Amino acid sequence: MAPRIILIGPMGSGKSTVGQKLAADLSTIFRDTDQMIVAQSGREISDIFIEDGEEAFRALEKIILRTALLEDGAVLALGGGACMSVDAQSALRASGAFIVYLKISLASVSSRVGFNQGRPLLMGNPRAQWQALMNERAPIYEGLASYSAEVDNKSVEEIADEIAFAFDLRSRGTIDG
Ligand code: S3P
């Protein structure tokens, strides 16, 4: 078995907040690969990036993703880059989970207070860095997703409800993915 719902998408799209609400609504556990990395290593993500480098972080993330994919029935939020490797993409597809892409615009993400805090990949010019990553990653998020949820101008409750509804339809076999 595997997680029931997996949230993917860029930094600042609200995966953790929406994931927690969704898990509470579905009375299941919530997991987050970033939180698991911090708990396991005892270090902040930004410290791992700065002290050990991105490659070391990705290696840790890969191991954590494997563990997280064993978490039965959970709602799982992935760090924005956790689904970039071909291996991760195959494992995610093989999990059979309902994969949801939280789609957000640069305008909405940049108005979020502190969206770059603790995010080493956005250091320097957060808006430009975020957009550059999205240009590269959006096709991967789109290709992996069973469902895309537009999150601009929606509340956490609205997004969680929308995903729960789409998940229910998928479970009844009404939509593919
Ligand atoms: C990253 C996203 C972050 C975190 C790390 C790298 C990325 O997670 O894993 O800073 O490569 O997009 P969030 O998407 O939860 O911010």
Side-chain angles (χ1 to χ4, degrees):
M1 290 293 283
R4 261 198 279 180
I5 301 179
I6 300 178
L7 303 182
I8 60 172
M11 291 178 266
S13 57
K15 293 165 296 207
S16 304
T17 329
V18 169
Q20 280 171 49
K21 176 76 174 82
L22 192 56
D25 290 351
L26 299 175
S27 304
T28 189
I29 52 168
F30 172 69
R31 290 283 182 262
D32 180 308
T33 55
D34 286 342
Q35 287 172 8
M36 290 171 77
I37 290 169
V38 172
Q40 173 136 334
S41 66
R43 298 159 75 201
E44 292 304 319
I45 304 284
S46 50
D47 292 338
I48 302 173
F49 263 84
I50 291 161
E51 290 161 16
D52 302 348
E54 179 167 357
E55 212 176 303
F57 173 79
R58 297 297 174 201
L60 212 52
E61 188 176 51
K62 193 173 169 186
I63 296 167
I64 291 291
L65 178 61
R66 213 176 297 147
T67 310
L69 286 178
L70 300 172
E71 203 73 71
D72 246 2
V75 171
L76 171 67
L78 300 192
C83 57
M84 291 304 126
S85 72
V86 173
D87 280 359
Q89 288 162 34
S90 321
L92 287 165
R93 288 204 175 90
S95 74
F98 188 55
I99 302 179
V100 179
Y101 169 27
L102 299 193
K103 205 168 176 182
I104 191 164
S105 67
L106 175 63
S108 291
V109 85
S110 50
S111 68
R112 293 186 173 207
V113 177
F115 97 96
N116 59 334
Q117 274 173 15
R119 290 182 165 117
L121 290 180
L122 300 182
M123 279 194 303
N125 183 344
R127 287 165 50 89
Q129 306 277 57
W130 187 90
Q131 190 55 58
L133 284 171
M134 271 306 273
N135 293 347
E136 210 179 282
R137 293 173 171 184
I140 296 172
Y141 295 140
E142 302 270 4
L144 263 177
S146 319
Y147 182 79
S148 291
E150 303 267 356
V151 305
D152 285 3
N153 305 314
K154 288 184 191 154
S155 69
V156 171
E157 287 76 17
E158 284 172 326
I159 302 161
D161 285 352
E162 179 182 328
I163 297 171
F165 185 73
F167 176 63
D168 191 47
L169 290 183
R170 200 282 295 247
S171 309
R172 293 160 197 255
T174 318
I175 60 174
D176 296 335

